Amino acid sequence: MTRSDLVEELAARFGQLTHRDAEYAVKAILDAMSEALARGHRIEIRGFGSFSVNRRPPRLGRNPRSGESVQIPEKRVPHFKPGKALREAVDRRTAEIEAADTGRPDRAD
């Protein structure tokens, strides 16, 4: 799902929102999340998951073309950890889809 798909889904699901309002809402949420992560804050959305910033220490890498050693600096990267409810929902839904594709009822092992 892309950002524009998300805007379309939001506008379709809530009839009182215009496409432009849905676009502003998605932009506002993503901007707020980006800003919070840039400040080093952790974002937790119950039932969905949490976003945090992980530190990658500096390391020595290699240029694949020349084989020359290259110093890679420290980085801070966003990290997402799905919540239990999201993990279970994805597992359940993919099992249902696989069962429907094979034409057999899902077995509980």
Side-chain angles (χ1 to χ4, degrees):
M1 177 177 265
T2 63
R3 183 180 184 147
S4 59
D5 293 338
L6 186 58
V7 169
E8 292 293 331
E9 179 71 25
L10 193 60
R13 197 174 282 195
F14 299 98
Q16 68 272 23
L17 281 180
T18 65
H19 187 273
R20 177 172 279 168
D21 290 340
E23 196 171 336
Y24 285 143
V26 169
K27 183 179 180 349
I29 289 169
L30 296 177
D31 287 348
M33 291 174 71
S34 297
E35 184 62 32
L37 289 172
R39 281 193 249 120
H41 295 271
R42 184 172 181 272
I43 301 167
E44 183 176 328
I45 303 170
R46 305 262 175 183
F48 184 73
S50 61
F51 297 86
S52 59
V53 176
N54 284 352
R55 177 187 166 273
R56 285 192 187 160
R59 62 188 171 92
L60 192 61
R62 294 214 176 270
N63 180 333
R65 183 168 281 172
S66 66
E68 175 185 347
S69 293
V70 178
Q71 184 64 33
I72 299 172
E74 175 182 27
K75 292 182 181 182
R76 300 199 188 288
V77 293
H79 174 74
F80 174 71
K81 181 179 177 186
K84 182 180 177 184
L86 178 61
R87 285 193 317 268
E88 290 173 352
V90 168
D91 185 48
R92 185 174 42 255
R93 184 68 180 126
T94 54
E96 290 170 0
I97 291 170
E98 288 173 2
D101 287 346
T102 61
R104 294 182 290 159
D106 189 28
R107 297 182 315 198
D109 292 323

